[in-house]
Amino acid sequence: MGSDVRTLYRYDRRVHFAIAFANTGPFVDPDRAIEFALAAEAAGFESLWTVEHVVVPAGYESQYPYDRSGRMPGAEDSPIPDPIVWLTYLAAATSTLKLATGVLILPQRNPVVLAKELATLDQLSKGRLLLGIGSGWLEEEFDAIGVPFRERGARTDDAVGALRALWSQDRASYDGRFTQFRDCIARPQPVRGTIPIHVGGHTDVAARRAGRLGDGFFPASGTHEQLRASFDLVRSTAIDHGRDPDAIEFTTGGNGAIGPNALDEVAKLADLGVRRVILPSFLFFRDTADALARYGDEVIARV
């Protein structure tokens, strides 16, 4: 895409709060999911972010990159509902809460079909969808789906271009390495002319992808020094590709934004340029509504 990438969506500068791993644990249950979403909305949370795995091959040997054990949290047979379906269910019950994938494994999806699914959800939710994307790490899952694992980065970049073409052009055409189409009419299109794309990941490759292609960058965790270095790389890459670095929104995990020092941690993250602090859903597995309300009163309302 290069220097002709246009930023179609500009963010405000406030710090928002969100919840990650939203479609896990007790919230796979439909009633608990609705209770959770409504309570989060009432407490002042801006968005819920879902995770994705189509399948988890038993005994996988790939290394999960966010834990020293190399294993994902939870058991291999823990339910992980499809994020698009789960978010669509919540869209009907909420009104202001943004609905996000964090992340959807983009190279595993057909981008033409995905563009229709996401635009439909964006229309039904009146423009509340955020698309967090990742290139994936679980090689055995790629094998089961039939997508070459070693092509995942190139497929990710290609899919971003295809999605944006279908969302923005009256008769969309795209000539990518893996996806080609001409004069295709895709309706509905997103409410705001696009769906913001947040690139997930903790590597320099992910940071550069965000700088080249993303509306946002979402490293799940990292020290302040690591985050600063990653954000600087995003900004410098954006400049190199003729993009406005200030139009790229930074989101990160906020495990430090819990407890008596929460406000100090949020202020430090804001100084780094973070505009969305994400908490893990397991904090709210028990006493969900009350726990969310307490965080809303003690932290969100005071930022």
Side-chain angles (χ1 to χ4, degrees), residues 103-108 132-136 142 152 156 198-201 209:
V103 295
L104 185 142
I105 307 171
L106 188 56
Q108 294 180 353
I133 64 168
S135 58
F142 278 77
R152 67 194 187 282
T156 297
H198 295 253
V199 177
R209 177 172 289 119

Side-chain angles (χ1 to χ4, degrees), residues 17 256-269 295 298-299 303:
F17 292 83
I258 303 162
N261 298 319
L263 292 173
D264 288 342
E265 174 65 9
V266 172
K268 291 175 182 177
L269 291 174
Y295 195 88
E298 294 171 5
V299 180
V303 172

